[in-house]
């Protein structure tokens, strides 16, 4: 019998799947967001909660998403519906995929703004504008960028176009090519930066900040941020991993593959933190400075190290690429859905979604200047989209996926797809049926 595959194509091998899924997972979430939310939430104890969430909630849910996609071999909505039907359940489970598409568009719109900052810093590194900045100057440079809507718009537009370009080319020519070279390169550059951070006197201060677990600093809202971020950083809760799973070869074991992806993603986040915090402490900056943390600290570090301009340039290029391989995955589920359901060409679908993201992105960039007085629930539009997606929509999407995989899908099917040991399967099953849903429910309730 011929193996069922997706009409959109499939990854050349298990290794390519790992690269692509890691490309999706590793992004601004690891290098930009993780350090700044760690800073805002007091360090160590927050990091510990985040690690626990990755291990006990994130990994099992990623396994669920990948197997649903691979079994359905279609876009997330249709895969959910087909897998539900096969187990004699209602097609209403497809709603998880529908909500997920909106979540993806919302995330992409603010993601693209931050990616635009990165593009701006690539240029600034190349032209030497940032050479030898003091921390106050680095601070002022970043603030000046935020105050300039036309520059932000230019970079945002460029980033949306770059993403549309890759998604329009499709799975093999687009997504696959983009991740194969970039991921290893990013890793090497991070290690260079880590080497520099370790050579500074403040390395131990950075280390202690991240790994001394002081639970008195931990609040329930910090726990929610850690939980939400575990979904965000692993690209869970909106169908990305279902879409990527649908292109995965059948032979590969989902269990070990997902663990590899989770481990790589976590490693990149921790290393990014260890690169940034020493610089923060060495220069008397505030770890709780918020979204600008990376942009205000790293230029100072690059200014002080040998070949700093070159390394700085390369570093921002790679962060840009990491963001790019992630933004692709924010669009892919929706584009696959439009192509398969509505029989619209991939290029048309990609441009249409790109346009919506572009428009919504303008409201996000305006949050820092001409629209800063517009607020939703006390947050500007940028912060609102970030908060609502990461801390509410992704966890909810993830939980319904877990409930679906654990309770609705027949055990026979999930066991067959995951192909892991009996013991691991039992653990997975308990996690998606009980542990993950209850954990998220508790964190939600305590935040109300
Ligand atoms: N995981 C990516 C990051 O950390 C962002 C991302 C890509 C994402 N696809 C996603 C987040 C799907 C949530 C859902 O930067």
């Amino acid at each position: 019998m011929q193996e069922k595959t997706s009409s959109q194509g499939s990854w050349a091998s298990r290794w390519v799947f790992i690269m692509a899924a890691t490309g999706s997972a590793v992004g601004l979430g690891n290098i930009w967001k993780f350090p700044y939310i760690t800073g805002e939430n007091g360090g160590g104890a927050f990091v510990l909660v985040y690690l626990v969430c990755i291990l006990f909630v994130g990994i099992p849910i990623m396994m669920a998403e990948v197997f649903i996609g691979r079994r359905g071999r279609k876009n997330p909505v249709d895969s959910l519906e087909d897998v539900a039907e096969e187990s004699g359940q209602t097609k209403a489970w497809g709603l998880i995929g529908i909500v997920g598409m909106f979540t993806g568009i919302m995330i992409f719109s603010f993601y693209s703004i931050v990616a635009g900052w990165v593009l701006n810093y690539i240029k600034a590194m190349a032209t030497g504008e940032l050479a030898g900045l003091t921390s106050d100057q680095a601070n002022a440079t970043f603030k000046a960028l935020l105050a300039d809507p036309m520059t932000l718009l230019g970079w945002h537009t460029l980033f949306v176009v770059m993403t549309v370009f890759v998604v329009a080319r499709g799975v093999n020519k687009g997504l696959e090519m983009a991740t194969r070279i970039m991921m290893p390169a990013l890793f090497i550059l991070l290690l260079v930066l880590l080497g520099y951070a370790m050579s500074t006197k403040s390395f131990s201060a950075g280390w202690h900040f991240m790994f001394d677990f002081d639970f008195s600093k931990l609040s329930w809202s910090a726990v929610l941020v850690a939980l939400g971020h575990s979904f965000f950083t692993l690209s869970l809760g909106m169908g990305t991993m279902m879409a990527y799973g649908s292109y995965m070869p059948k032979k590969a074991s989902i269990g070990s593959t997902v663990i590899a992806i989770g481990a790589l993603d976590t490693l990149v986040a921790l290393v990014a933190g260890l690169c940034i915090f020493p610089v923060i402490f060495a220069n008397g900056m505030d770890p709780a400075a918020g979204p600008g943390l990376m942009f205000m600290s790293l230029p100072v570090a690059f200014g002080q190290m040998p070949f700093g301009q070159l390394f700085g340039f390369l570093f921002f290029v790679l962060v840009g690429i990491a963001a790019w391989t992630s933004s692709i995955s924010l669009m892919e589920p929706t584009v696959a859905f439009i192509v398969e359901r509505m029989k619209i060409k991939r290029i048309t679908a990609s441009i249409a979604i790109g346009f919506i993201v572009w428009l919504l992105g303008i409201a996000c960039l305006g949050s820092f200047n001409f629209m800063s007085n517009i607020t939703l629930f006390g947050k500007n539009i940028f912060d609102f989209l970030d908060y609502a997606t990461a801390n509410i929509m992704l966890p909810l999407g993830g939980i319904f996926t877990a409930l679906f995989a654990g309770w609705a899908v027949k055990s026979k099917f999930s066991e067959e797809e995951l192909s892991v040991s009996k013991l691991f399967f039992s653990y997975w099953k308990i996690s998606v049926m009980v542990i993950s849903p209850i954990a998220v429910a508790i964190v939600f309730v305590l935040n109300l």
Side-chain angles (χ1 to χ4, degrees):
M1 198 180 82
Q2 220 207 326
E3 194 188 308
K4 188 166 140 202
T5 55
S6 164
S7 63
Q8 306 299 306
S10 55
W11 310 115
S13 65
R14 167 174 182 262
W15 179 239
V16 173
F17 171 76
I18 295 184
M19 282 290 136
T22 309
S24 164
V26 174
L28 296 172
N30 306 61
I31 302 165
W32 160 74
K33 195 171 178 191
F34 173 73
Y36 100 72
I37 55 178
T38 300
E40 282 182 342
N41 290 287
F46 175 85
V47 174
L48 184 66
V49 176
Y50 156 81
L51 292 175
V52 168
C53 292
I54 295 277
L55 201 61
F56 294 102
V57 182
I59 301 248
I61 292 184
M62 197 193 294
M63 289 170 66
E65 285 204 16
V66 173
F67 103 64
I68 293 164
R70 188 171 74 174
R71 197 165 181 89
R73 290 284 186 216
K74 288 184 186 153
N75 64 80
V77 181
D78 286 313
S79 288
L80 282 159
E81 289 186 356
D82 289 3
V83 172
E85 242 181 350
E86 179 190 43
S87 289
Q89 305 285 338
T90 155
K91 279 183 154 191
W93 287 106
L95 269 173
I96 301 172
I98 297 194
V99 176
M101 295 196 289
F102 287 97
T103 313
I105 289 173
M106 289 164 69
I107 296 177
F108 191 3
S109 65
F110 72 85
Y111 205 83
S112 176
I113 302 307
V114 182
W117 302 345
V118 175
L119 297 180
N120 182 77
Y121 273 69
I122 296 175
K123 188 197 127 227
M125 278 288 169
T127 57
E129 276 164 58
L130 301 175
L133 290 190
T134 63
S135 59
D136 286 341
Q137 288 165 330
N139 216 310
T141 308
F142 182 67
K143 297 257 154 68
L145 173 65
L146 290 190
D148 178 358
M150 286 324 276
T151 305
L152 294 174
L153 180 65
W155 294 120
H156 163 57
T157 308
L158 176 62
F159 189 75
V160 171
V161 170
M162 283 162 58
T163 306
V164 167
F165 176 77
V166 176
V167 177
R169 284 167 64 92
V171 173
N172 300 89
K173 276 199 254 128
L175 311 196
E176 188 169 322
M177 285 261 299
T179 34
R180 269 193 160 171
I181 317 161
M182 316 308 189
M183 295 318 296
L186 173 70
F187 217 70
I188 292 167
L189 247 266
L190 266 177
L191 292 180
V192 170
L193 205 58
L194 180 64
Y196 168 76
M198 290 173 78
S199 76
T200 64
K201 281 198 295 294
S202 306
F203 186 72
S204 82
W207 178 276
H208 285 296
F209 180 71
M210 280 181 67
F211 297 115
D212 285 353
F213 307 133
D214 176 359
F215 282 96
S216 65
K217 289 194 194 140
L218 198 68
S219 61
W220 278 108
S221 68
V223 174
L224 177 63
V225 175
L227 177 76
H229 187 65
S230 70
F231 286 93
F232 187 90
T233 191
L234 293 176
S235 301
L236 299 177
M238 58 141 283
T240 284
M241 288 299 167
M242 291 183 205
Y244 276 31
S246 74
Y247 312 137
M248 185 185 185
K250 189 85 193 174
K251 292 184 293 293
S253 148
I254 291 180
S256 59
T257 308
V258 164
I259 290 174
I261 298 164
L264 283 171
D265 185 77
T266 306
L267 200 63
V268 172
L270 296 178
V271 171
L274 287 175
C275 294
I276 288 177
F277 287 114
V279 182
I280 301 284
F281 294 121
N283 293 283
M285 300 168 153
D286 176 13
L293 193 68
M294 164 180 132
F295 298 92
M296 297 188 286
S297 60
L298 292 184
V300 177
F302 289 122
Q304 293 165 353
M305 65 199 264
F307 306 108
Q309 290 304 302
L310 176 66
F311 284 138
F313 171 73
L314 289 175
F315 177 78
F316 280 107
V317 167
L318 290 170
V319 175
I321 292 164
W324 194 10
T325 54
S326 299
S327 61
I328 292 166
S329 76
L330 287 164
M331 266 181 79
E332 180 60 24
T334 315
V335 169
F337 174 79
I338 297 176
V339 172
E340 291 172 5
R341 265 284 172 102
M342 304 179 192
K343 311 275 176 261
I344 289 174
K345 280 215 222 78
R346 197 171 240 281
I347 179 159
T348 319
S350 311
I351 292 173
I353 299 302
F355 182 67
I356 296 172
V357 167
W358 182 77
L359 279 181
L360 199 55
I362 293 177
C364 294
L365 72 85
S367 300
F368 298 103
N369 38 66
F370 67 97
M371 281 166 70
S372 58
N373 53 355
I374 299 182
T375 56
L376 289 163
F377 302 97
K379 295 183 189 310
N380 66 33
I381 296 177
F382 179 98
D383 290 337
F384 173 78
L385 286 177
D386 181 2
Y387 189 89
T389 51
N391 298 343
I392 300 167
M393 296 172 78
L394 296 177
L396 278 182
I399 279 337
F400 280 104
T401 308
L403 292 174
F404 173 66
W407 295 91
V409 177
K410 291 207 171 98
S411 258
K412 190 175 99 199
F413 298 147
S414 48
E415 201 166 356
E416 194 178 297
E417 282 299 326
L418 294 177
S419 64
V420 290
S421 68
K422 271 262 171 319
L423 189 68
F424 191 15
F425 181 74
S426 318
Y427 162 71
W428 174 81
K429 189 94 185 175
I430 294 173
S431 172
V432 287
M433 288 176 90
V434 195
I435 301 175
S436 308
I438 291 184
V440 175
I442 291 176
V443 176
F444 271 164
V445 170
L446 289 174
N447 265 283
L448 290 182

